[in-house]
Amino acid sequence: MQPKRILTMQDLSCVGQCSMTVALPILSHYGVETCVLPTAILSNHTMFKTWSYLDITPEIENVYNGWRENGFKFQGFLLGYLGKKSLMDCAEKAFDEFSEKDAPIIIDPAFGDNGKLYGGFDLEYVAAMRNLIRRANIIVPNLTEVCFLLGWEYPASYDKNYIKKAVEELKKYTPATVVITGVEFDGKIGEAIYYNGKISYVLAEKLPVCYHGTGDMFAAVFTAKYLNGATLEQACAAAGEFVAKCIKATPQNHFYGVCFEKVMLNEVEN
Ligand code: PXL
């Protein structure tokens, strides 16, 4: 079978093991032909003290002209950190013009974590994302992003009823299947999947550490597995397992991302 060809749109942080520099190798490793549209070029991700930032929006129409002239189409889309509101219009244009029939659109809102927005984002960006998810088939927000999308306070604690209310509210903005990442119950961590009116949970051991870029990694493995025929639950379990292995392979002093390369090397050698 020919690998599926997808387009992933997210930033290229030159240093920091997140967004494009994890999505591209992981999607390729798991058998997906990965075309990229970098939305911004940063010296490093925004969890470091400082960063440079080049917005790619002005170049995108030239890229699209190249794609139009060559007749390129994609069989799926994975959106991560876009950076600016203008990129959301570019994303919609890509869905309209470069999609094969029924190509799934998977959107990771990628604008915050731990109850806070990432540096450089504001509520206007959140509102634009709330609008963009109406185009998604699957969204993979973490709980911080869910709360911002709904205009809710980030909760000190929550139960399964809270998650149910949250997904029901989200459904007002999107027809998508909702996969909330990083939810914690009974000392375990994983995903709440809302599909066809029902919620299921994929939970696994919670590791006592937290690293940047793991959400991007989760979205990439999830997307590859799902496009290659896994169910939502299987794709979540595989992605969660991959992220956990990467965290375990990362020494504590490696603070800015996780050592996913070691895990992939292991998978190739075995
Ligand atoms: O991992 C999410 C992410 C992606 N891209 C950039 C970031 C972050 C998180 O901080 O700064 C540029």
Side-chain angles (χ1 to χ4, degrees), residues 97-111:
E97 289 200 49
F98 305 112
S99 178
E100 277 197 8
K101 195 170 175 297
D102 299 329
I105 296 171
I106 299 172
I107 299 183
D108 178 356
F111 58 63

Side-chain angles (χ1 to χ4, degrees), residues 22-146:
V22 308
L24 176 55
I26 289 175
L27 286 160
S28 301
H29 175 72
Y30 284 114
V32 173
E33 180 189 334
T34 308
C35 305
V36 299
L37 185 53
T39 55
I41 298 178
L42 290 85
S43 53
N44 44 266
H45 65 55
T46 63
M47 295 293 180
F48 289 93
K49 271 195 295 232
T50 61
W51 59 89
S52 71
Y53 188 103
L54 174 69
D55 175 28
I56 300 297
T57 310
E59 180 57 18
I60 288 190
E61 201 45 41
N62 292 333
V63 173
Y64 285 179
N65 277 335
W67 292 354
R68 275 181 205 114
E69 283 157 18
N70 288 293
F72 297 140
K73 299 274 179 193
F74 305 105
Q75 294 161 303
F77 295 86
L78 169 61
L79 269 60
Y81 183 111
L82 299 179
K84 297 264 185 278
K85 261 175 54 181
S86 53
L87 270 309
M88 305 210 193
D89 297 331
C90 298
E92 291 213 46
K93 218 173 204 184
F95 305 152
D96 292 337
E97 289 200 49
F98 305 112
S99 178
E100 277 197 8
K101 195 170 175 297
D102 299 329
I105 296 171
I106 299 172
I107 299 183
D108 178 356
F111 58 63
D113 206 357
N114 299 314
K116 296 201 182 94
L117 295 175
Y118 295 141
F121 287 136
D122 57 18
L123 292 182
E124 239 184 280
Y125 187 85
V126 173
M129 183 57 73
R130 192 181 297 126
N131 177 52
L132 185 65
I133 58 173
R134 80 187 191 289
R135 298 292 305 268
N137 297 97
I138 303 178
I139 59 171
V140 290
N142 59 35
L143 198 54
T144 299
E145 291 154 351
V146 169

Side-chain angles (χ1 to χ4, degrees), residues 208-209 211 247 250-256:
V209 276
Y211 286 99
I247 291 174
T250 304
Q252 293 268 322
N253 62 356
H254 184 101
F255 67 95
Y256 54 79

